[in-house]
Amino acid sequence: MSEVRVRIAPSPSGNLHIGTARTALFNYLFAKKNNGKFVLRIEDTDAERTSQAYIDNIFDSLKALGLNWDEGPDVGGEYGPYTQSERFDIYPKYAQILLDKGFAYECFCTPEELEAEKAIATQNKKPYVYTKRCEHLTEEEKEKFRKEGRKPAIRFNISKAQRAFHDSSILKFNDMVKGELHVDTDLLGDFVIMKSNGTPTYNFAVVIDDMLMKISHIIRGEDHISNTFKQILIYEALGAEVPEFGHLGMILAPDRSKLSKRHGATAVSEFVEKGYLTEALINFVALLGWSPSDGVEIKTVDEIAKDFRIHDVSSSNSIFEYDKLNWMNSHYIKMLDIEDLKERLKPYLTKYDLSELSDAQYTRMVEVTREPLTILSDITDAVPYFFGEDVEIEPKAQTEVLDTEVAQDVLEEFARQAQGWEFEEENLHHKLEVFRGEYKEKGIKPKVTMWAIRAAVTGRTCGADMTAILAILGKERTLHRVRKAMKPAVKN
Ligand code: GLU
């Protein structure tokens, strides 16, 4: 087999969608598995919908996911440029070849004329296909249109190409994922390959680029199947080798509708901002249509690449289970090295003054708060009591704990005893054990004793390990908060 070359060809009309990330991943895996090349091409022919911010987002998201490309707009390569808008001079030449071979023709129809054709089809309850009224225009007729100021588009002559290379109107191909697919090309209609303004349409530009970039395998979403038939005929009409195609099932939301903003994040960068780890995201999207042969789902991209076979990819749609992603993300957070986690949490702690904590204190805070984190941003609400002199008391902690007589008693006693304690974790652990023991003897459950201290010091009824919290806060701040939580009558 000649060299395997695959590509991801996003249109920068939005931030990189998680579905495009999956397509990119499957192409990347296919390249890895076959010692091939992974190419990035930016399809920005639709200038109105394109923006540099989206292009940057596509680059950053793919890089963050570790899907590095061998050739692309930034790194270059033998077959550049890799941005379609920089290739506009290439396409007319190939359109001319098709015109010369008789597989394309100029079309002078105005938008109004085309609308009228469509209206007739609708009236007759027939699917619209272009009537080919410009197929056999004479030179004189064309000249007349030109004089009227009409600029022609160029249409691909489907039936001519089909009949030249196939026995009937049926076009078939063997999809790497879906098996044999076919269409009756008489239903496709001669489509525009070059618009009257001289720019190529998607179906034309994509073939020329894939052909010139020597793309051997095209893996993309099944929404492109109808385009694939048109594209195969263009390859054939140009006398080019037709690549292999593999179409992936769609990614649906848990309610089986198209995944969209109303279900939650959809762009890779949105997931990252919320605090999903790129390692978890890429592992999760790999499982949308593919499953590991050993049943072990947690895997790095390199591990997946060894096991990946495009023919094993499911041809059906996959459901984007946010719950599963959450589970996976929390798993990845648990597995992170502490220093790495400390760094990754910083963007979510900007509302706090981290300089209040020494590095050792910050480490300890992260150690005792990481367990329940599902996404990194959960840290923001998990740690307010580690900062500042005072603490905000939640209503529940006030009414259910601090307002009780027993809590007030515990706090008074704690304030008295802790004055003489050394606030070092091991020592505190021991002191608190004794302290709880004393109350237990008075018939107060250990957890009730600890609730009182927790409510006073953190303002909450649950949270991280108390000993660690007290050690991080230190004696002065702990006692300040405990005294503040004591009722005036008790204080005196
Ligand atoms: N620019 C197209 C898209 O974003 C690429 C489709 C293809 O892979 O051919 O859908």
Side-chain angles (χ1 to χ4, degrees):
M1 185 166 63
S2 57
E3 193 192 21
V4 164
R5 292 176 56 82
V6 294
R7 54 36 165 208
I8 183 74
S11 304
S13 56
N15 291 333
L16 188 85
H17 193 274
I18 192 81
T20 312
R22 184 200 45 174
T23 307
L25 171 66
F26 284 14
N27 277 286
Y28 176 90
L29 293 170
F30 189 79
K32 279 238 147 183
K33 178 90 190 184
N34 295 289
N35 286 323
K37 291 275 189 299
F38 175 55
V39 176
L40 169 63
R41 183 172 70 232
I42 296 293
E43 301 210 323
D44 59 347
T45 48
D46 187 350
E48 267 166 41
R49 299 178 63 205
T50 293
S51 91
Q52 187 57 42
Y54 293 144
I55 296 178
D56 293 343
N57 182 276
I58 290 168
F59 278 41
D60 294 346
S61 302
L62 288 172
K63 277 187 197 153
L65 293 169
L67 302 177
N68 298 314
W69 46 96
D70 302 299
E71 297 166 27
D74 54 341
V75 293
E78 229 178 300
Y79 305 101
Y82 293 87
T83 300
Q84 266 180 347
S85 59
E86 293 169 24
R87 301 173 63 81
F88 277 145
D89 55 331
I90 298 176
Y91 309 112
K93 193 168 96 197
Y94 290 93
Q96 189 58 47
I97 293 176
L98 291 178
L99 286 169
D100 293 346
K101 287 185 166 191
F103 289 124
Y105 55 88
E106 288 179 314
C107 170
F108 291 84
C109 293
T110 61
E112 295 74 27
E113 285 165 344
L114 295 172
E115 277 312 313
E117 276 197 354
K118 279 183 201 159
I120 294 172
T122 315
Q123 239 171 33
N124 297 337
K125 299 197 165 61
K126 289 236 169 74
Y128 172 68
V129 285
Y130 176 62
T131 55
K132 285 176 170 283
R133 59 203 266 194
C134 289
E135 187 184 2
H136 299 296
L137 292 180
T138 62
E139 282 312 315
E140 291 74 44
E141 285 168 319
K142 289 185 195 173
E143 205 39 52
K144 190 172 151 272
F145 283 136
R146 283 206 173 85
K147 284 218 174 95
E148 282 174 26
R150 294 195 192 197
K151 285 208 168 77
I154 299 175
R155 281 187 191 268
F156 186 68
N157 195 329
I158 293 253
S159 55
K160 195 141 181 220
Q162 174 70 20
R163 296 309 192 285
F165 305 105
H166 305 272
D167 297 337
S168 71
S169 65
I170 304 299
L171 177 61
K172 293 183 197 160
F173 73 95
N174 217 337
D175 190 276
M176 292 185 286
V177 176
K178 295 195 176 271
E180 191 183 284
L181 297 175
H182 61 266
V183 76
D184 184 345
T185 53
D186 283 349
L187 302 174
L188 295 181
D190 293 350
F191 58 95
V192 171
I193 54 174
M194 292 293 285
K195 298 183 212 167
S196 55
N197 65 7
T199 62
T201 59
Y202 156 73
N203 271 314
F204 189 54
V206 83
V207 169
I208 303 308
D209 290 347
D210 285 336
M211 178 181 80
L212 295 178
M213 293 179 185
K214 296 196 164 39
I215 301 301
S216 61
H217 295 76
I218 294 178
I219 301 166
R220 59 185 173 195
E222 67 177 30
D223 48 334
H224 283 291
I225 290 176
S226 58
N227 291 325
T228 299
F229 292 110
K230 297 176 182 171
Q231 293 173 15
I232 288 174
L233 286 177
I234 300 178
Y235 282 102
E236 291 179 333
L238 287 169
E241 198 181 329
V242 182
E244 297 282 328
F245 289 92
H247 291 90
L248 309 172
M250 303 309 285
I251 299 175
L252 302 179
D255 65 5
R256 304 291 195 274
S257 66
K258 189 170 179 273
L259 191 67
S260 72
K261 291 230 176 294
R262 77 192 157 88
H263 300 108
T266 52
V268 168
S269 50
E270 280 175 81
F271 283 102
V272 170
E273 273 159 33
K274 286 186 178 205
Y276 287 92
L277 306 187
T278 49
E279 299 94 316
L281 273 176
I282 200 75
N283 190 163
F284 175 76
V285 298
L287 301 172
L288 297 172
W290 175 82
S291 19
S293 57
D294 61 4
V296 179
E297 292 198 318
I298 301 284
K299 281 197 159 59
T300 64
V301 171
D302 284 343
E303 287 165 345
I304 294 169
K306 290 198 187 95
D307 198 20
F308 183 82
R309 270 177 303 272
I310 188 72
H311 294 96
D312 292 344
V313 169
S314 157
S315 63
S316 32
N317 295 333
S318 319
I319 307 295
F320 195 98
E321 305 281 5
Y322 286 89
D323 290 346
K324 181 168 176 178
L325 173 60
N326 286 340
W327 165 78
M328 220 172 221
N329 202 61
S330 65
H331 174 84
Y332 271 89
I333 291 179
K334 286 187 184 72
M335 303 305 286
L336 274 189
D337 165 74
I338 184 74
E339 289 303 320
D340 193 0
L341 180 58
K342 278 163 62 184
E343 279 311 307
R344 297 204 206 197
L345 288 174
K346 281 183 181 165
Y348 304 96
L349 294 169
T350 49
K351 68 185 252 196
Y352 305 112
D353 182 4
L354 271 186
S355 70
E356 286 181 25
L357 302 176
S358 67
D359 185 55
Q361 286 172 324
Y362 179 45
T363 304
R364 193 69 189 126
M365 180 190 92
V366 172
E367 278 172 353
V368 297
T369 50
R370 69 185 294 177
E371 172 68 25
L373 302 180
T374 299
I375 47 180
L376 295 175
S377 56
D378 288 342
I379 196 72
T380 315
D381 292 331
V383 297
Y385 53 80
F386 287 101
F387 301 90
E389 272 309 294
D390 296 317
V391 73
E392 201 179 313
I393 309 282
E394 286 178 356
K396 189 175 170 209
Q398 184 67 47
T399 55
E400 291 181 20
V401 184
L402 296 177
D403 287 349
T404 65
E405 223 170 282
V406 61
Q408 289 297 320
D409 186 69
V410 167
L411 294 183
E412 190 190 5
E413 185 59 20
F414 179 84
R416 200 178 60 75
Q417 287 196 24
Q419 193 66 55
W421 296 354
E422 191 199 331
F423 270 54
E424 179 277 323
E425 247 187 84
E426 207 176 313
N427 181 53
L428 275 172
H429 183 76
H430 170 69
K431 295 283 192 215
L432 283 169
E433 203 168 84
V434 175
F435 187 77
R436 283 194 298 264
E438 288 168 12
Y439 270 88
K440 197 171 172 207
E441 278 181 13
K442 294 193 224 168
I444 309 295
K445 286 195 186 118
K447 71 173 181 200
V448 173
T449 309
M450 293 310 286
W451 263 336
I453 302 169
R454 183 181 294 281
V457 175
T458 71
R460 299 176 171 199
T461 51
C462 57
D465 175 73
M466 263 327 288
T467 323
I469 297 172
L470 297 188
I472 292 170
L473 290 175
K475 191 193 292 189
E476 213 176 299
R477 241 183 328 167
T478 299
L479 290 178
H480 166 75
R481 290 184 187 179
V482 165
R483 291 199 183 101
K484 248 195 132 171
M486 285 157 60
K487 305 257 175 207
V490 183
K491 265 190 218 165
N492 296 332

